[in-house]
Amino acid sequence: MPMRPEHCVTRNHIDVWHHKALPSGPGRVRLRTVLRGSLVPILVWIGVAAAAYVLHDPVVTAVLGGVFAVAFLVGFGLRRRAGHSVRCCAYGALGGVLDKSMAGL
């Protein structure tokens, strides 16, 4: 059963780092909000990629980018299969990858 458009892209579908940037109630979430709420994971991903580039080889950075892309595509595909909109899938997959990559921190 597909999602109704008014229920998509709500706080229930997007996990943002510690939920600090989300509005208090359900509502549409913009990409800027997802990115602002995910600053710590974004900085960690950029830091690890920069360290891998400087300390090892650019190929390691490319592999790391590939891992991120595969995780994003899997999350996007799972959300699309569940009937979410493309926008909800993109934001949810991005927020999910950033959130789950910081598990344990």
Side-chain angles (χ1 to χ4, degrees):
M1 177 179 215
M3 288 291 290
R4 293 176 49 175
E6 62 270 15
H7 293 127
C8 218
V9 190
T10 64
R11 71 179 307 111
N12 298 329
H13 300 105
I14 298 176
D15 248 347
V16 179
W17 184 255
H18 289 289
H19 306 286
K20 291 179 182 174
L22 292 175
S24 59
R28 290 183 92 59
V29 177
R30 299 184 186 274
L31 179 60
R32 186 174 77 187
T33 304
V34 174
L35 295 176
R36 187 183 61 170
S38 303
L39 282 178
V40 172
I42 290 171
L43 292 175
V44 169
W45 272 93
I46 290 171
V48 169
Y53 182 83
V54 170
L55 298 176
H56 293 288
D57 196 340
V59 174
V60 176
T61 304
V63 169
L64 183 64
V67 168
F68 185 88
V70 167
F72 176 83
L73 290 174
V74 167
F76 185 88
L78 290 172
R79 285 172 175 80
R80 276 306 281 170
R81 188 172 298 171
H84 296 275
S85 69
V86 172
R87 179 177 170 177
C88 184
C89 293
Y91 291 4
L94 177 62
V97 169
L98 293 172
D99 181 49
K100 301 306 180 216
S101 66
M102 297 292 109
L105 291 181

